[in-house]
Amino acid sequence: MRLTTMTDYALRLLMHVGQHPDRLCTIAEVAQVYGISEAHLMKITHQLGLAGWIETVRGKGGGMRLACPPAQINLGALVRSVEPDFQLVECLGGGT
């Protein structure tokens, strides 16, 4: 099984944010730590926010934080929310 780069980056973003529960983390900060494009992280941050994995604060002094304690994050549910066409085997496709 292979995951996309988007899932890899989403997991990295959540790990970084989870390591700093006392403050808001920025996209620029995460991009610098992992050497990831800020534009790509913006899309991932938006998707994670819509799915309820992170809370985002806009404006000066804004950033992101986990929406729930790290122990409550189910990796399977996270991967399924980031990988919309997640099919481990062909029979899960629903077509035939």
Side-chain angles (χ1 to χ4, degrees):
M1 175 177 75
R2 292 185 151 204
L3 299 176
T4 64
T5 304
M6 186 168 181
T7 302
D8 179 30
Y9 292 169
L11 291 169
R12 289 173 190 249
L13 184 143
L14 288 175
M15 286 188 297
H16 182 80
V17 172
Q19 291 173 343
H20 304 283
D22 54 330
R23 64 179 178 84
L24 294 173
C25 296
T26 65
I27 291 173
E29 170 189 337
V30 177
Q32 183 179 11
V33 168
Y34 292 110
I36 302 171
S37 159
E38 285 188 39
H40 199 63
L41 276 179
M42 287 177 75
K43 290 189 281 186
I44 293 168
T45 300
H46 180 69
Q47 186 173 355
L48 291 174
L50 289 176
W53 298 110
I54 60 173
E55 296 174 349
T56 57
V57 178
R58 296 179 65 148
K60 185 176 178 178
M64 62 191 132
R65 63 177 154 246
L66 292 179
C68 62
Q72 292 181 357
I73 294 177
N74 180 304
L75 289 180
L78 171 68
V79 169
R80 284 188 294 276
S81 73
V82 175
E83 301 274 348
D85 59 346
F86 191 66
Q87 297 176 18
L88 290 176
V89 291
E90 189 176 310
C91 64
L92 293 177
T96 56

